[in-house]
Amino acid sequence: MEMQKGKGGTAGGGKLLVSTLLDAKDELEERLERCVGIVTSLTNGLSEREANDALNAHICKGTPQHEEICLGLFTLVLTEPAQAQKCYRDLALVSRDGMNIVLNKINHILMEKYLKLQDTCRTQLVWLLRELVKSGVLGADGVCMTFMKQIAGGDVTAKNIWLAENVLEILTEQREWVLKSSLLIAMAVYTYLRLIVDHHGTSQLQVLRQKEVDFCVSLLRERFMDCFMIGRDLVRLLQNVARIPEFEQLWKDIIHNPQVLSTQFTGVLQLLQSRTSRKFLACRLTPDMETKLLFMTSRVRFGQQKRYQDWFQRQYLSTPDSQSLRCDLIRYICGVVHPSNEVLSSDILPRWAIIGWLLTTCTSNVAASNAKLALFYDWLFFNPEKDSIMNIEPAILVMHHSMKPHPAITATLLDFMCRIIPNFYPPLEAHVRQGVFNSLTHIVEKRVLAHLAPLFDNPKLDKELRAMLREKFPEFCSSPSPPIEVKIEEPVSMEMDNHMSEKDDSCYDNAEAAFSDDEDDLNSKGKKREFRCATYASPSSQESERGDRGQGHDIQKSRHRCRRLPPAPRLELSNRPRSGQHQPHQAWISRDGTRSDTLSTAGQEQSLLSSSALDSLHKGSLIRHEGSLIRLLSEPAGAKTFCGVCSKTPPGNPTPAFPRSCLYWPLSQARRTRQQISSDISEKENLPPATWFQ
């Protein structure tokens, strides 16, 4: 098949790259032209033997001269088709490094300059690949894989089809050479299994499709364990072509008679439990696509991404055939793009935002289903010991962040997650259920989301979906216990804010989850607050009798704004039970002097206070602890929390929770006298002095 000629270079274009008069001269092209000039000056007017002697004499002068001659002959192969055979022969004779210089330059051009190459040079580059493979040049398999990376998915334009067909011809003709490289076998199968989906419709595409089917089936049957290295994504690609008769028969063998394919293959579960390597996920994106995606995920600020998304969509996602590319993009983002802690804690465009955009712009139902499967694919057989949290993080964050602006996206993803469990492969339903459960458990453990109940039991979801979620995942649908205790830590220097906290009403921070590449370290900027509920052991009765006793007047609510106070102890909300931990120095003191190690709110029966003691505690009560006086900010019976100073209630907070900025109110320090403290309080709040007892 001949490649259709596109527009040639304009007046400013050279023989190698397409350019215009406005473009600066490409440095690579300038260097290659200089090398061509050197070769031409050495061989001009000489016979073939004399020319070869002249080239060898020049190469003997040193490494730079060797590189100049090799690159000059290589450039002549690309730009002068009539001299290609002679120049390649000279190149093979004079090269002293096994053509390593030429192979590196081919890869460089393919990765960075291929889109700018003149059509003639593209044709000659494929011709050169064929010659390298025929000659058995070491390293030609790497060049072949780079060529396959340039075959774009979801693109049925003439140039892309031409490249796919010519590379396939080389692989088919040189089958014995292909079988020497296990990685090349796996990469070729992965590439053409994916391309089969796009090649349908016209008779020309049908012919190419049949060649691809025959090529893939033969390699899968003959070298299945080489293809096994692809991992679970091999099953995903085989599912897409399962209706083709040749693959239908292959599926029967995979399921019912796996030993026919390989004695080491035990069944489809073995394949599904194997994680797909990044190099396979990355091979289905062209270098240009990869560059643009990496730019968006590392340089573009969140909120400024629309122009870049529109730019990407116009170039790669604007045709009906391009819908299938979305799966490749989602798998790449989940499996390859793993941002560092620094990026995660910054305002850079997050991965979940790009995936949400890809889902919302999908116009085909089939493509939408495949895209959702690509998003959740690592969930189905997730193993925390082998798989990465970064592979499953985007899906949960897409659902979480889409709940308010796009509740339909969250609903359809949750529905898909529930329905894929019994429907993915019924004989392995238990394994899929366990994989999804492992994923959700790992998400909570790694603090991607602190709790899943606000997502699974959200009022914005319809009743049927919420019921299905409660049935499938009862462990994650129970509401978290409200914060019930103020924990005093070591003093730190900080100032109180002058306004109420405006955090979201969810039970977890809106700070982005920060995971390092090894999934363990947390960057301080992206670290979440951890909510814990410590249940302390009861002190002895003798300790209770010896405990401090305190008394204080009820404090009226002041109508002025919260004032800025001097450095004070930092308090931390706790919300997760931690049994067996005893901290006898943390006690709540009621007005009648009763002491306890815990305080009960919202019906949490954790208190050691008597009912009369509970009745004596009121919001605004002063409680002394180790020289610091703490104001009780909520009713013990679970009344709606408000700040005892500014009288404001946290917006949308149905359960007792302490405002971040009004959480603590330090009224004394250990080295200050009670008279000074009492005087300061009266001064600050215009309240009568309070009396405290040791």
Side-chain angles (χ1 to χ4, degrees):
M1 174 183 176
E2 292 294 331
M3 180 174 63
Q4 294 183 6
K5 303 293 181 182
K7 293 180 180 179
T10 58
K15 290 186 175 182
L16 190 66
L17 304 178
V18 175
S19 62
T20 67
L21 291 173
L22 299 178
D23 294 329
K25 189 70 173 178
D26 187 86
E27 292 182 5
L28 173 63
E29 188 173 20
E30 281 187 331
R31 186 190 178 197
L32 293 180
E33 287 178 354
R34 286 198 300 270
C35 293
V36 169
I38 293 172
V39 172
T40 304
S41 64
L42 289 173
T43 60
N44 192 24
L46 300 179
S47 65
E48 291 186 9
R49 185 182 183 84
E50 292 172 339
N52 185 263
D53 291 341
L55 294 175
N56 278 310
H58 188 74
I59 285 175
C60 290
K61 295 179 180 179
T63 302
Q65 288 74 18
H66 173 257
E67 186 173 355
E68 289 172 351
I69 297 302
C70 289
L71 292 181
L73 292 171
F74 162 70
T75 307
L76 286 172
V77 169
L78 298 187
T79 58
E80 303 292 340
Q83 302 180 37
Q85 192 68 51
K86 173 182 175 297
C87 291
Y88 178 76
R89 184 190 61 202
D90 292 340
L91 180 60
L93 291 173
V94 301
S95 177
R96 299 187 177 185
D97 62 352
M99 292 202 181
N100 190 54
I101 291 175
V102 174
L103 294 176
N104 289 338
K105 194 56 62 178
I106 293 175
N107 280 323
H108 175 68
I109 290 175
L110 286 173
M111 294 297 291
E112 298 185 15
K113 306 292 182 182
Y114 184 79
L115 295 179
K116 292 184 176 182
L117 274 182
Q118 297 279 6
D119 291 342
T120 300
C121 296
R122 293 190 188 189
T123 304
Q124 288 303 111
L125 206 54
V126 172
W127 178 88
L128 180 57
L129 173 64
R130 181 178 277 105
E131 295 301 316
L132 291 171
V133 171
K134 286 180 181 179
S135 303
V137 175
L138 188 64
D141 54 341
V143 174
C144 194
M145 287 185 276
T146 310
F147 263 101
M148 287 190 287
K149 186 175 175 64
Q150 278 292 352
I151 306 172
D155 183 358
V156 292
T157 58
K159 291 183 179 181
N160 197 60
I161 295 299
W162 171 86
L163 182 60
E165 187 171 9
N166 277 268
V167 174
L168 181 61
E169 284 180 2
I170 294 173
L171 296 174
T172 304
E173 292 171 0
Q174 305 298 325
R175 185 179 182 84
E176 294 301 320
W177 173 80
V178 172
L179 295 178
K180 294 178 182 178
S181 172
S182 298
L183 181 58
L184 180 59
I185 292 172
M187 200 69 74
V189 168
Y190 189 86
T191 298
Y192 282 98
L193 270 180
R194 166 64 187 87
L195 295 175
I196 288 172
V197 178
D198 298 330
H199 298 162
H200 59 85
T202 66
S203 58
Q204 178 188 353
L205 290 178
Q206 291 288 358
V207 172
L208 175 58
R209 177 174 181 165
Q210 189 58 49
K211 292 179 181 178
E212 293 167 340
V213 169
D214 295 339
F215 174 76
C216 291
V217 170
S218 63
L219 286 180
L220 284 165
R221 287 196 173 276
E222 293 180 28
R223 303 292 291 270
F224 186 81
M225 291 312 295
D226 288 331
C227 300
F228 184 89
M229 73 169 69
I230 295 173
R232 61 174 65 109
D233 275 79
L234 176 60
V235 178
R236 181 177 64 87
L237 296 181
L238 286 172
Q239 285 178 302
N240 294 335
V241 297
R243 299 294 180 87
I244 298 174
E246 292 87 346
F247 287 110
E248 189 174 359
Q249 185 59 45
L250 179 67
W251 263 113
K252 291 179 181 178
D253 290 336
I254 291 174
I255 294 173
H256 302 296
N257 196 11
Q259 296 291 310
V260 172
L261 299 173
S262 174
T263 55
Q264 298 174 303
F265 183 50
T266 60
V268 69
L269 179 60
Q270 180 188 7
L271 192 54
L272 288 167
Q273 290 176 335
S274 176
R275 179 181 174 183
T276 298
S277 172
R278 291 183 177 190
K279 57 178 169 280
F280 293 106
L281 300 177
C283 82
R284 287 320 314 129
L285 267 65
T286 66
D288 189 61
M289 293 180 194
E290 196 169 5
T291 300
K292 287 179 169 60
L293 271 184
L294 292 175
F295 178 84
M296 283 195 283
T297 55
S298 62
R299 306 289 289 277
V300 176
R301 291 186 175 182
F302 190 31
Q304 301 177 359
Q305 70 270 23
K306 188 178 185 306
R307 54 185 293 225
Y308 300 99
Q309 291 173 348
D310 292 343
W311 166 42
F312 192 94
Q313 185 160 357
R314 280 194 305 269
Q315 189 166 0
Y316 296 112
L317 299 171
S318 59
T319 64
D321 296 303
S322 64
Q323 294 296 314
S324 62
L325 179 61
R326 296 175 192 273
C327 298
D328 301 330
L329 297 172
I330 291 174
R331 292 300 293 145
Y332 178 85
I333 293 169
C334 292
V336 180
V337 182
H338 290 177
S340 64
N341 279 339
E342 184 180 3
V343 174
L344 285 171
S345 59
S346 68
D347 59 352
I348 296 299
L349 179 65
R351 297 186 298 163
W352 62 261
I354 299 179
I355 292 176
W357 160 66
L358 291 171
L359 292 174
T360 54
T361 56
C362 195
T363 58
S364 165
N365 292 332
V366 174
S369 297
N370 290 336
K372 286 181 280 189
L373 179 61
L375 179 61
F376 282 103
Y377 205 64
D378 287 313
W379 288 52
L380 306 184
F381 297 89
F382 183 79
N383 183 349
E385 296 180 358
K386 297 179 181 179
D387 295 298
S388 169
I389 182 67
M390 299 298 283
N391 289 20
I392 61 175
E393 179 218 44
I396 197 70
L397 291 183
V398 168
M399 294 188 284
H400 165 58
H401 290 287
S402 299
M403 181 62 80
K404 289 184 178 180
H406 303 288
I409 291 293
T410 301
T412 188
L413 291 177
L414 287 172
D415 181 77
F416 183 88
M417 183 180 68
C418 292
R419 297 183 188 277
I420 197 65
I421 294 174
N423 295 315
F424 178 74
Y425 182 47
L428 296 180
E429 179 180 352
H431 290 85
V432 177
R433 185 184 303 276
Q434 185 61 44
V436 175
F437 179 83
N438 290 343
S439 300
L440 295 172
T441 302
H442 205 51
I443 283 167
V444 175
E445 288 177 353
K446 289 293 186 178
R447 311 295 291 175
V448 179
L449 295 183
H451 302 288
L452 297 176
L455 178 64
F456 285 4
D457 199 25
N458 197 293
K460 292 187 177 182
L461 304 176
D462 61 75
K463 293 182 179 179
E464 181 181 351
L465 177 56
R466 291 164 67 184
M468 183 163 56
L469 287 166
R470 283 192 293 269
E471 177 187 354
K472 300 284 187 184
F473 312 107
E475 304 89 346
F476 304 102
C477 291
S478 57
S479 298
S481 301
I484 66 172
E485 186 176 278
V486 175
K487 178 179 176 183
I488 304 178
E489 296 183 343
E490 296 180 0
V492 294
S493 178
M494 60 187 302
E495 293 183 342
M496 294 184 66
D497 298 329
N498 288 335
H499 57 277
M500 296 291 290
S501 173
E502 297 178 354
K503 285 287 182 185
D504 188 21
D505 58 354
S506 59
C507 63
Y508 41 83
D509 283 351
N510 285 330
E512 292 185 47
F515 298 98
S516 64
D517 288 338
D518 58 3
E519 306 144 28
D520 289 327
D521 300 327
L522 280 171
N523 182 282
S524 59
K525 293 183 180 179
K527 187 175 182 180
K528 291 183 178 296
R529 285 183 295 168
E530 183 175 357
F531 290 76
R532 301 189 300 272
C533 173
T535 305
Y536 300 122
S538 171
S540 65
S541 58
Q542 295 171 346
E543 286 178 341
S544 298
E545 291 175 0
R546 293 197 306 267
D548 295 341
R549 296 176 178 269
Q551 180 180 2
H553 294 286
D554 290 343
I555 299 178
Q556 302 175 359
K557 292 181 289 184
S558 175
R559 298 299 177 184
H560 58 74
R561 293 170 59 86
C562 296
R563 296 176 180 174
R564 181 166 296 179
L565 295 179
R570 182 166 64 89
L571 304 185
E572 179 181 353
L573 288 179
S574 298
N575 196 25
R576 189 173 64 187
R578 297 176 67 186
S579 59
Q581 191 170 4
H582 180 55
Q583 297 187 9
H585 296 296
Q586 296 191 18
W588 290 96
I589 312 300
S590 70
R591 288 198 308 157
D592 62 0
T594 307
R595 167 178 173 153
S596 172
D597 288 336
T598 59
L599 177 67
S600 176
T601 60
Q604 299 294 320
E605 299 302 327
Q606 304 288 341
S607 178
L608 300 175
L609 291 173
S610 64
S611 58
S612 60
L614 282 173
D615 292 337
S616 66
L617 282 174
H618 299 283
K619 58 179 176 288
S621 298
L622 290 177
I623 298 174
R624 190 178 66 79
H625 171 71
E626 296 182 346
S628 293
L629 293 171
I630 308 299
R631 185 194 309 283
L632 180 59
L633 298 180
S634 67
E635 292 286 352
K640 199 167 186 179
T641 302
F642 70 95
C643 176
V645 179
C646 66
S647 307
K648 295 181 180 179
T649 301
N653 221 332
T655 59
F658 298 97
R660 182 74 164 174
S661 60
C662 301
L663 181 58
Y664 50 86
W665 186 247
L667 301 182
S668 69
Q669 297 177 359
R671 62 178 178 270
R672 303 174 66 194
T673 65
R674 280 183 307 224
Q675 290 77 11
Q676 290 173 323
I677 297 168
S678 176
S679 175
D680 288 348
I681 294 175
S682 301
E683 240 179 343
K684 286 178 180 295
E685 303 190 13
N686 194 23
L687 297 176
T691 303
W692 302 283
F693 296 91
Q694 285 284 36

PDB file of all heavy atoms in Angstrom, residues 153 196 254 298 316 415 421 442 518 581 607 623:
ATOM      1  N   GLY A 153      -4.336   4.936  17.917  1.00  0.00           N
ATOM      2  CA  GLY A 153      -5.629   4.290  18.065  1.00  0.00           C
ATOM      3  C   GLY A 153      -6.756   5.249  17.729  1.00  0.00           C
ATOM      4  O   GLY A 153      -6.643   6.458  17.925  1.00  0.00           O
ATOM      5  N   ILE A 196      -7.422  -3.818  15.936  1.00  0.00           N
ATOM      6  CA  ILE A 196      -8.477  -4.582  15.248  1.00  0.00           C
ATOM      7  C   ILE A 196      -9.836  -3.927  15.441  1.00  0.00           C
ATOM      8  O   ILE A 196     -10.668  -3.902  14.525  1.00  0.00           O
ATOM      9  CB  ILE A 196      -8.486  -6.038  15.765  1.00  0.00           C
ATOM     10  CG1 ILE A 196      -7.263  -6.786  15.239  1.00  0.00           C
ATOM     11  CG2 ILE A 196      -9.759  -6.766  15.357  1.00  0.00           C
ATOM     12  CD1 ILE A 196      -7.079  -8.169  15.844  1.00  0.00           C
ATOM     13  N   ILE A 254      -9.028 -20.780  26.329  1.00  0.00           N
ATOM     14  CA  ILE A 254      -8.561 -20.079  27.525  1.00  0.00           C
ATOM     15  C   ILE A 254      -9.391 -20.465  28.742  1.00  0.00           C
ATOM     16  O   ILE A 254      -8.863 -20.694  29.843  1.00  0.00           O
ATOM     17  CB  ILE A 254      -8.596 -18.548  27.304  1.00  0.00           C
ATOM     18  CG1 ILE A 254      -7.534 -18.127  26.281  1.00  0.00           C
ATOM     19  CG2 ILE A 254      -8.388 -17.797  28.618  1.00  0.00           C
ATOM     20  CD1 ILE A 254      -7.590 -16.656  25.903  1.00  0.00           C
ATOM     21  N   SER A 298       1.132  18.070  34.640  1.00  0.00           N
ATOM     22  CA  SER A 298       2.300  18.550  35.386  1.00  0.00           C
ATOM     23  C   SER A 298       2.510  20.056  35.296  1.00  0.00           C
ATOM     24  O   SER A 298       3.240  20.613  36.117  1.00  0.00           O
ATOM     25  CB  SER A 298       3.572  17.848  34.885  1.00  0.00           C
ATOM     26  OG  SER A 298       3.805  18.150  33.517  1.00  0.00           O
ATOM     27  N   TYR A 316      -7.458  14.918  18.493  1.00  0.00           N
ATOM     28  CA  TYR A 316      -7.484  13.463  18.635  1.00  0.00           C
ATOM     29  C   TYR A 316      -8.856  12.849  18.921  1.00  0.00           C
ATOM     30  O   TYR A 316      -9.020  11.640  18.757  1.00  0.00           O
ATOM     31  CB  TYR A 316      -6.527  13.038  19.754  1.00  0.00           C
ATOM     32  CG  TYR A 316      -5.090  13.346  19.460  1.00  0.00           C
ATOM     33  CD1 TYR A 316      -4.390  14.301  20.190  1.00  0.00           C
ATOM     34  CD2 TYR A 316      -4.408  12.685  18.432  1.00  0.00           C
ATOM     35  CE1 TYR A 316      -3.059  14.580  19.916  1.00  0.00           C
ATOM     36  CE2 TYR A 316      -3.084  12.964  18.148  1.00  0.00           C
ATOM     37  CZ  TYR A 316      -2.417  13.910  18.888  1.00  0.00           C
ATOM     38  OH  TYR A 316      -1.106  14.186  18.604  1.00  0.00           O
ATOM     39  N   ASP A 415     -23.153   2.822  39.941  1.00  0.00           N
ATOM     40  CA  ASP A 415     -23.994   1.758  39.396  1.00  0.00           C
ATOM     41  C   ASP A 415     -23.148   0.735  38.637  1.00  0.00           C
ATOM     42  O   ASP A 415     -23.343  -0.483  38.771  1.00  0.00           O
ATOM     43  CB  ASP A 415     -25.053   2.365  38.475  1.00  0.00           C
ATOM     44  CG  ASP A 415     -25.985   1.319  37.889  1.00  0.00           C
ATOM     45  OD1 ASP A 415     -26.884   0.853  38.608  1.00  0.00           O
ATOM     46  OD2 ASP A 415     -25.795   0.956  36.710  1.00  0.00           O
ATOM     47  N   ILE A 421     -19.695  -6.495  39.310  1.00  0.00           N
ATOM     48  CA  ILE A 421     -19.301  -7.612  40.183  1.00  0.00           C
ATOM     49  C   ILE A 421     -19.924  -8.930  39.728  1.00  0.00           C
ATOM     50  O   ILE A 421     -19.208  -9.914  39.508  1.00  0.00           O
ATOM     51  CB  ILE A 421     -19.636  -7.291  41.653  1.00  0.00           C
ATOM     52  CG1 ILE A 421     -18.776  -6.126  42.143  1.00  0.00           C
ATOM     53  CG2 ILE A 421     -19.426  -8.519  42.536  1.00  0.00           C
ATOM     54  CD1 ILE A 421     -19.132  -5.640  43.530  1.00  0.00           C
ATOM     55  N   HIS A 442      -8.502  -0.342  50.877  1.00  0.00           N
ATOM     56  CA  HIS A 442      -7.194   0.301  50.702  1.00  0.00           C
ATOM     57  C   HIS A 442      -7.349   1.805  50.522  1.00  0.00           C
ATOM     58  O   HIS A 442      -6.505   2.586  50.989  1.00  0.00           O
ATOM     59  CB  HIS A 442      -6.497  -0.312  49.484  1.00  0.00           C
ATOM     60  CG  HIS A 442      -5.005  -0.223  49.523  1.00  0.00           C
ATOM     61  ND1 HIS A 442      -4.254  -0.630  50.603  1.00  0.00           N
ATOM     62  CD2 HIS A 442      -4.105   0.235  48.612  1.00  0.00           C
ATOM     63  CE1 HIS A 442      -2.976  -0.434  50.360  1.00  0.00           C
ATOM     64  NE2 HIS A 442      -2.855   0.099  49.164  1.00  0.00           N
ATOM     65  N   ASP A 518       5.952   5.433  45.971  1.00  0.00           N
ATOM     66  CA  ASP A 518       5.946   4.132  46.633  1.00  0.00           C
ATOM     67  C   ASP A 518       4.733   3.973  47.531  1.00  0.00           C
ATOM     68  O   ASP A 518       4.647   3.045  48.324  1.00  0.00           O
ATOM     69  CB  ASP A 518       7.220   3.924  47.451  1.00  0.00           C
ATOM     70  CG  ASP A 518       7.415   5.000  48.501  1.00  0.00           C
ATOM     71  OD1 ASP A 518       6.538   5.859  48.633  1.00  0.00           O
ATOM     72  OD2 ASP A 518       8.441   4.957  49.194  1.00  0.00           O
ATOM     73  N   GLN A 581      -6.134   2.149  75.132  1.00  0.00           N
ATOM     74  CA  GLN A 581      -5.163   3.233  75.292  1.00  0.00           C
ATOM     75  C   GLN A 581      -5.548   4.057  76.506  1.00  0.00           C
ATOM     76  O   GLN A 581      -6.685   4.499  76.627  1.00  0.00           O
ATOM     77  CB  GLN A 581      -5.133   4.098  74.045  1.00  0.00           C
ATOM     78  CG  GLN A 581      -3.975   5.065  74.049  1.00  0.00           C
ATOM     79  CD  GLN A 581      -3.831   5.729  72.704  1.00  0.00           C
ATOM     80  OE1 GLN A 581      -4.648   5.489  71.833  1.00  0.00           O
ATOM     81  NE2 GLN A 581      -2.826   6.544  72.545  1.00  0.00           N
ATOM     82  N   SER A 607     -19.079   7.803  78.072  1.00  0.00           N
ATOM     83  CA  SER A 607     -18.747   8.653  79.203  1.00  0.00           C
ATOM     84  C   SER A 607     -18.700   7.869  80.500  1.00  0.00           C
ATOM     85  O   SER A 607     -19.430   6.906  80.697  1.00  0.00           O
ATOM     86  CB  SER A 607     -19.767   9.778  79.318  1.00  0.00           C
ATOM     87  OG  SER A 607     -19.482  10.572  80.439  1.00  0.00           O
ATOM     88  N   ILE A 623     -13.541  24.384  81.816  1.00  0.00           N
ATOM     89  CA  ILE A 623     -12.961  23.157  82.346  1.00  0.00           C
ATOM     90  C   ILE A 623     -11.456  23.343  82.415  1.00  0.00           C
ATOM     91  O   ILE A 623     -10.832  23.724  81.421  1.00  0.00           O
ATOM     92  CB  ILE A 623     -13.324  21.957  81.453  1.00  0.00           C
ATOM     93  CG1 ILE A 623     -14.825  21.775  81.432  1.00  0.00           C
ATOM     94  CG2 ILE A 623     -12.638  20.693  81.944  1.00  0.00           C
ATOM     95  CD1 ILE A 623     -15.287  20.724  80.481  1.00  0.00           C
TER      96      ILE A 623
END
